[in-house]
Amino acid sequence: MKVGKQLNWEEEINAELYRLEEISQKRHLITTRFAEQPWLMINGRKMLNLASNNYLGYAGDERLKKSMIEAVNTYGAGATASRLIVGNHPLYEKAETALVNWKKAEAGIIINNGYTANLGIISALLRRDDFVFSDKLNHASIVDGAVLSRAKHQRYRHHDLNHLEALLKKAPTEKRKLIVTDTIFSMDGDLAHLKEIVVLKERYNAILMIDEAHASGIYGKNGEGYAHHLNLQNKVDIQMGTFSKALGSFGAYVVGKKWLIDYLTNRMRGFIYSTALPPAILGAAKAAIEIVQEEPERRTLLQTHAEYFRESLMDYGFNICGSQSQIVPIIIGENEKTMKFAGCLQKEGIAAIPVRPPTVPENEGRIRFTVTAVHVKQDLDWAIKKIALVGKEMGVIG
Ligand SMILES: *Cc1c(COP(=O)(O)O)cnc(C)c1O
């Protein structure tokens, strides 16, 4: 590249793409078939699916599919408008009633997806110069919501509640303060220290919001989420979660006090200025809420599989980053090595997904495995052996 000459935007963008390729951070879209099943297909090759968020297997469930088809036949293909115009078709009320009964909350609404839910909730709730306190490993949608709100964005070190408290102490008492945390962290698979966070929330008169994207359907007696598992649901002001992971389809929800939901309905821009969900999605959400409560055995089986997978990889000497859930990363290190590791596993027939910066910190490249209730133990055993073999070959384990 010529020195001294100002690049135009086209040259700048192509230089940026070139740089991403050079540091092994360039992403590519790959067509994937059967990702709703334990074995998927990429480029005509069958691979064990240890990469989906379909934790309970509902993405391929006949009952969900049937209720989607019925919804289409009854209510049509599209939503026709935003919910506040004429897009609020009858299935919304049915699905939201099911949601509120399931969560035993005062009120709740369904939002188009988790990303816009987090953007919308945080930016509706906080004003310029308010404060948001966010775990450093929270999901990107929380980070973006904080930025959009123009509140002061204070990120505390992962799980470091002394750090959180020090930051809370410094914030002026008259400012609105929101503490927000994932309950299961999406890249490390560990659990928020929710009990201790509730103590701080009360001590500093803050608002508490949790993101149950990876815990909805999995924790709690009826799959309500991790807050219910700890019986802390009444201490949490805003419970957000999604239908797009364990619940098998698409969309998000938020539950809380009636006035809070009323406020969000009036103030969330992503809710007001975006078309309602198609009826089929609401059909799936409603079916999933009902089914997930009736099938605790899937949750149990998922926990059993997850624990077995974690313990086995740890026994081989892998660093699983403190995982306590169905999300089980193994740390590899540099980008290039992480990519190579993933490539080896794919050659062996495992759909291993490398996760690199900026999604995770520099030099903490990892393979992020997810197990589901619909995997069978022999397949997990087979995968664990292959992972260990590649780990030894590449010097990741001894
Ligand atoms: C997946 C995810 C989201 C986004 O949800 P979508 O419905 O996929 O937009 C938000 N928060 C967390 C923690 C997630 O893992």
PDB file of all heavy atoms in Angstrom, residues 22 100 144 152 169 263 306 315 345:
ATOM      1  N   GLU A  22      -5.527 -12.394   7.704  1.00  0.00           N
ATOM      2  CA  GLU A  22      -4.147 -12.603   8.158  1.00  0.00           C
ATOM      3  C   GLU A  22      -4.053 -13.044   9.601  1.00  0.00           C
ATOM      4  O   GLU A  22      -3.186 -13.828   9.957  1.00  0.00           O
ATOM      5  CB  GLU A  22      -3.360 -11.296   7.995  1.00  0.00           C
ATOM      6  CG  GLU A  22      -2.751 -11.140   6.627  1.00  0.00           C
ATOM      7  CD  GLU A  22      -1.553 -10.203   6.691  1.00  0.00           C
ATOM      8  OE1 GLU A  22      -1.580  -9.212   7.456  1.00  0.00           O
ATOM      9  OE2 GLU A  22      -0.588 -10.477   5.977  1.00  0.00           O
ATOM     10  N   VAL A 100     -46.585 -15.862  31.236  1.00  0.00           N
ATOM     11  CA  VAL A 100     -46.762 -15.286  32.566  1.00  0.00           C
ATOM     12  C   VAL A 100     -47.118 -16.389  33.580  1.00  0.00           C
ATOM     13  O   VAL A 100     -46.621 -16.402  34.706  1.00  0.00           O
ATOM     14  CB  VAL A 100     -47.834 -14.170  32.496  1.00  0.00           C
ATOM     15  CG1 VAL A 100     -48.338 -13.808  33.865  1.00  0.00           C
ATOM     16  CG2 VAL A 100     -47.248 -12.953  31.784  1.00  0.00           C
ATOM     17  N   ASP A 144     -24.255  -3.566  23.793  1.00  0.00           N
ATOM     18  CA  ASP A 144     -24.813  -2.620  22.820  1.00  0.00           C
ATOM     19  C   ASP A 144     -25.992  -1.846  23.406  1.00  0.00           C
ATOM     20  O   ASP A 144     -26.172  -0.661  23.103  1.00  0.00           O
ATOM     21  CB  ASP A 144     -25.239  -3.361  21.541  1.00  0.00           C
ATOM     22  CG  ASP A 144     -24.040  -3.944  20.794  1.00  0.00           C
ATOM     23  OD1 ASP A 144     -22.900  -3.744  21.258  1.00  0.00           O
ATOM     24  OD2 ASP A 144     -24.241  -4.597  19.760  1.00  0.00           O
ATOM     25  N   LYS A 152     -23.792   5.716  31.866  1.00  0.00           N
ATOM     26  CA  LYS A 152     -22.383   5.416  32.131  1.00  0.00           C
ATOM     27  C   LYS A 152     -22.232   3.907  32.229  1.00  0.00           C
ATOM     28  O   LYS A 152     -22.894   3.250  33.035  1.00  0.00           O
ATOM     29  CB  LYS A 152     -21.942   6.097  33.426  1.00  0.00           C
ATOM     30  CG  LYS A 152     -21.935   7.605  33.297  1.00  0.00           C
ATOM     31  CD  LYS A 152     -20.956   8.242  34.275  1.00  0.00           C
ATOM     32  CE  LYS A 152     -20.615   9.666  33.897  1.00  0.00           C
ATOM     33  NZ  LYS A 152     -21.772  10.526  33.596  1.00  0.00           N
ATOM     34  N   LYS A 169     -20.612   1.861  44.782  1.00  0.00           N
ATOM     35  CA  LYS A 169     -20.354   2.841  45.840  1.00  0.00           C
ATOM     36  C   LYS A 169     -20.080   4.222  45.271  1.00  0.00           C
ATOM     37  O   LYS A 169     -20.463   5.235  45.843  1.00  0.00           O
ATOM     38  CB  LYS A 169     -19.117   2.378  46.631  1.00  0.00           C
ATOM     39  CG  LYS A 169     -19.376   2.230  48.116  1.00  0.00           C
ATOM     40  CD  LYS A 169     -18.118   1.786  48.831  1.00  0.00           C
ATOM     41  CE  LYS A 169     -18.514   0.732  49.860  1.00  0.00           C
ATOM     42  NZ  LYS A 169     -17.390  -0.089  50.290  1.00  0.00           N
ATOM     43  N   TYR A 263     -44.561   0.093  30.808  1.00  0.00           N
ATOM     44  CA  TYR A 263     -43.593   1.122  30.424  1.00  0.00           C
ATOM     45  C   TYR A 263     -42.782   0.681  29.205  1.00  0.00           C
ATOM     46  O   TYR A 263     -42.614   1.442  28.244  1.00  0.00           O
ATOM     47  CB  TYR A 263     -42.659   1.425  31.611  1.00  0.00           C
ATOM     48  CG  TYR A 263     -41.601   2.445  31.269  1.00  0.00           C
ATOM     49  CD1 TYR A 263     -41.914   3.794  31.180  1.00  0.00           C
ATOM     50  CD2 TYR A 263     -40.286   2.055  31.015  1.00  0.00           C
ATOM     51  CE1 TYR A 263     -40.942   4.737  30.840  1.00  0.00           C
ATOM     52  CE2 TYR A 263     -39.314   2.978  30.682  1.00  0.00           C
ATOM     53  CZ  TYR A 263     -39.646   4.315  30.594  1.00  0.00           C
ATOM     54  OH  TYR A 263     -38.693   5.234  30.249  1.00  0.00           O
ATOM     55  N   ALA A 306     -24.217 -33.200  30.281  1.00  0.00           N
ATOM     56  CA  ALA A 306     -23.299 -32.069  30.410  1.00  0.00           C
ATOM     57  C   ALA A 306     -22.228 -32.373  31.447  1.00  0.00           C
ATOM     58  O   ALA A 306     -21.035 -32.133  31.218  1.00  0.00           O
ATOM     59  CB  ALA A 306     -24.065 -30.805  30.777  1.00  0.00           C
ATOM     60  N   ASP A 315     -10.818 -34.661  33.058  1.00  0.00           N
ATOM     61  CA  ASP A 315      -9.956 -35.808  33.374  1.00  0.00           C
ATOM     62  C   ASP A 315      -8.813 -35.926  32.373  1.00  0.00           C
ATOM     63  O   ASP A 315      -7.711 -36.321  32.730  1.00  0.00           O
ATOM     64  CB  ASP A 315     -10.771 -37.115  33.379  1.00  0.00           C
ATOM     65  CG  ASP A 315     -11.654 -37.219  34.622  1.00  0.00           C
ATOM     66  OD1 ASP A 315     -11.436 -36.421  35.560  1.00  0.00           O
ATOM     67  OD2 ASP A 315     -12.558 -38.077  34.643  1.00  0.00           O
ATOM     68  N   LEU A 345     -10.790 -31.573  14.282  1.00  0.00           N
ATOM     69  CA  LEU A 345     -12.009 -32.208  14.800  1.00  0.00           C
ATOM     70  C   LEU A 345     -13.042 -32.383  13.691  1.00  0.00           C
ATOM     71  O   LEU A 345     -13.724 -33.407  13.624  1.00  0.00           O
ATOM     72  CB  LEU A 345     -12.602 -31.396  15.946  1.00  0.00           C
ATOM     73  CG  LEU A 345     -11.835 -31.425  17.267  1.00  0.00           C
ATOM     74  CD1 LEU A 345     -12.552 -30.582  18.318  1.00  0.00           C
ATOM     75  CD2 LEU A 345     -11.656 -32.843  17.787  1.00  0.00           C
TER      76      LEU A 345
END
